[in-house]
Amino acid sequence: MPVTEIKKDIYWVGVVDWNIHDFHGYSKAPQGTTYNAYLVIDDKVTLFDSVPAKFQMDLYHQIRSIIELEKIDYIVCNHIEPDHSGAMPFLMEKIQPEKVFCSKMGHRMLLDHFHQPDWPYHPVQTGDSISLGKRTVQFMETRMLHWPDSMFSYIPEDKLLISNDAFGQNIASSERFDDEIDLAMLMAEASHYYYNIVLPFSPRVIAVLDDVAKLGLDIDMIAPDHGIIWRSNVPRILEAYRDYAEQKPNKKAVIVYDTMWHSTEKMAKAIAEGLMEEGVAVRIMHLKQYHHSDVMGALADATGIICGSPTHNNGIMPLMADFLTYMKGLKPLGRVGAAFASFGWSGESLNIVTEWLKSAKIEVVEPGVKCKNVPDHAKLAECKELGRQVGKAIVAKVEAEA
């Protein structure tokens, strides 16, 4: 992939991973991703972030197309996760930089990951800055956005924010900038990324956005470590991140279920009818067809989450257990939910799903509905009524915050 000059003497030297679809083992990335690294040519030549170890030679050739690696003076590690620091041992051997800048927590994590105490570490914190010559780099710690080591690097002379994983998306593309691809698709991928990676840290997102505003940073380009670089829609992605973090209610619900013999599937459709009668938009998602990260992506603009499972071995279906575990870890806020279930003889699944929802801090509409074997018209009417009750609760929440 050719390098791209994103600002005068500042180059994208990253790698496009066209073939990855399983991102970090927990989220789907059907459009692939990129690992973005940035090279600043100044009196002190500086490399910001790197790539996974398996792509280190790609990064090597990208940089060599501009400059000999030995001429790099500094390396800045904004984030120590292996997809952004994996090439560090290789780079340290080739470059032998004067200094490696990272956060204090980043220093600890580099030691934990690579066990190299002799690297020239220079830990920094919010408010610290360095001169590259014509340019200054200002550092801002962004702890738990989304790892403890995370930080931003801001170059005021270029109005450039290098933001590590914040504001990223999983998109493999020959285009580098937001005005070169479909904006609706880009925003959808940014939302999917947020809801599967950044969501648990939403209070930190709001705090960081407030800090950026207080510092008065003049930003006309955001260069994340994954996906597309923002140059024409910077205010939009900043506003979107605040919206994602605030999780304001919407008149939409997601019904997610698993099924063996289609009973919970029939129940899901009846619940959807009740929701729609209350003016609530619905998305129905069968877990054998949709990955748990797809469901979280759909939940981004939904206030309702209704979960259904047959009873299986006195428990719930494995894919439902997987989804509920995943959702609870991501800590969505302000959601309304309900449970529904089918069973053949023991019938524990309704209570299990209900308790899982409560443990995830979902406001549960009770009682849910459970059906022995196949639902008849009366049971489907109960399901429809459950949909209405959840719909009313969603509408009330939306109107209360209007």
Side-chain angles (χ1 to χ4, degrees):
M1 208 60 172
V3 301
T4 303
E5 189 173 29
I6 66 170
K7 293 273 189 176
K8 176 65 175 173
D9 293 328
I10 301 178
Y11 297 88
W12 175 87
V13 291
V15 174
V16 178
D17 191 345
W18 299 97
N19 297 318
I20 188 172
H21 286 173
D22 186 344
F23 187 71
H24 294 359
Y26 60 80
S27 181
K28 291 298 182 183
Q31 298 196 63
T33 197
T34 65
Y35 310 107
N36 298 336
Y38 304 97
L39 186 69
V40 176
I41 306 298
D42 207 320
D43 295 344
K44 293 295 185 180
V45 180
T46 304
L47 177 66
F48 291 82
D49 299 317
S50 72
V51 300
K54 69 178 182 178
F55 291 114
Q56 63 190 27
M57 291 307 297
D58 299 78
L59 177 62
Y60 173 78
H61 290 297
Q62 293 281 74
I63 296 171
R64 278 288 303 273
S65 70
I66 302 169
I67 196 170
E68 296 291 330
L69 268 72
E70 294 80 4
K71 294 183 179 179
I72 295 174
D73 299 289
Y74 297 158
I75 297 177
V76 175
C77 291
N78 287 311
H79 185 28
I80 315 306
E81 200 167 3
D83 53 336
H84 306 302
S85 70
M88 278 296 290
F90 171 82
L91 292 172
M92 292 301 296
E93 179 183 349
K94 294 290 184 183
I95 296 171
Q96 299 185 13
E98 293 177 31
K99 297 178 181 181
V100 174
F101 295 97
C102 56
S103 67
K104 291 182 178 180
M105 186 61 72
H107 179 207
R108 296 180 199 173
M109 296 182 79
L110 282 168
L111 288 170
D112 288 344
H113 278 261
F114 301 111
H115 314 291
Q116 297 289 338
D118 296 329
W119 287 356
Y121 302 104
H122 284 261
V124 294
Q125 59 188 359
T126 297
D128 289 348
S129 63
I130 59 172
S131 174
L132 304 185
K134 304 180 192 68
R135 296 174 178 83
T136 307
V137 182
Q138 299 174 0
F139 298 107
M140 178 180 175
E141 293 174 275
T142 57
R143 294 180 183 179
M144 298 317 301
L145 189 59
H146 66 120
W147 273 29
D149 63 288
S150 299
M151 70 178 187
F152 289 167
S153 294
Y154 174 64
I155 302 176
E157 294 81 4
D158 294 288
K159 302 181 181 180
L160 171 64
L161 181 68
I162 301 174
S163 63
N164 75 76
D165 276 351
F167 312 113
Q169 339 83 40
N170 285 320
I171 300 174
S173 171
S174 59
E175 294 78 25
R176 296 275 69 82
F177 298 104
D178 58 339
D179 49 27
E180 296 175 331
I181 67 170
D182 180 74
L183 182 58
M185 181 274 287
L186 174 58
M187 296 305 298
E189 290 301 323
S191 173
H192 188 277
Y193 185 96
Y194 186 97
Y195 265 78
N196 282 283
I197 296 171
V198 186
L199 182 63
F201 314 108
S202 290
R204 286 291 302 133
V205 171
I206 293 172
V208 167
L209 291 172
D210 288 345
D211 287 344
V212 168
K214 288 175 186 175
L215 291 170
L217 301 187
D218 187 5
I219 302 168
D220 72 5
M221 181 178 288
I222 298 177
D225 277 359
H226 288 293
I228 300 298
I229 297 166
W230 304 89
R231 68 178 178 187
S232 295
N233 295 281
V234 169
R236 180 159 184 173
I237 189 58
L238 290 171
E239 181 182 356
Y241 253 57
R242 188 173 291 277
D243 288 343
Y244 301 157
E246 290 177 346
Q247 301 182 63
K248 294 179 180 178
N250 292 295
K251 292 182 183 179
K252 179 182 172 182
V254 174
I255 300 173
V256 56
Y257 71 96
D258 203 355
T259 192
M260 284 188 280
W261 301 110
H262 303 292
S263 291
T264 49
E265 183 174 67
K266 293 173 182 176
M267 298 171 77
K269 292 176 180 177
I271 292 168
E273 290 182 16
L275 284 159
M276 289 185 283
E277 286 185 1
E278 296 300 325
V280 174
V282 181
R283 179 88 181 268
I284 302 178
M285 306 183 81
H286 182 187
L287 285 170
K288 287 189 177 70
Q289 305 299 324
Y290 292 95
H291 190 258
H292 57 228
S293 61
D294 295 324
V295 181
M296 286 306 301
L299 192 58
D301 61 348
T303 298
I305 178 69
I306 302 100
C307 301
S309 174
T311 296
H312 179 249
N313 294 334
N314 305 111
I316 60 177
M317 293 287 277
L319 289 176
M320 180 55 68
D322 167 82
F323 168 70
L324 291 169
T325 301
Y326 186 70
M327 179 179 69
K328 181 179 178 180
L330 287 167
K331 301 177 183 177
L333 300 175
R335 264 54 180 198
V336 175
F340 62 102
S342 61
F343 67 101
W345 49 91
S346 59
E348 293 91 344
S349 58
L350 182 68
N351 289 338
I352 292 171
V353 173
T354 298
E355 290 309 310
W356 262 105
L357 291 171
K358 289 180 179 179
S359 73
K361 310 300 184 187
I362 306 296
E363 180 186 324
V364 178
V365 174
E366 295 187 88
V369 179
K370 68 178 180 179
C371 169
K372 186 174 182 181
N373 294 316
V374 179
D376 58 14
H377 289 296
K379 188 59 66 175
L380 292 175
E382 286 183 44
C383 292
K384 190 172 181 179
E385 180 58 27
L386 176 63
R388 291 193 191 98
Q389 293 307 313
V390 175
K392 286 181 169 62
I394 291 170
V395 171
K397 185 175 284 288
V398 171
E399 291 178 348
E401 296 199 23

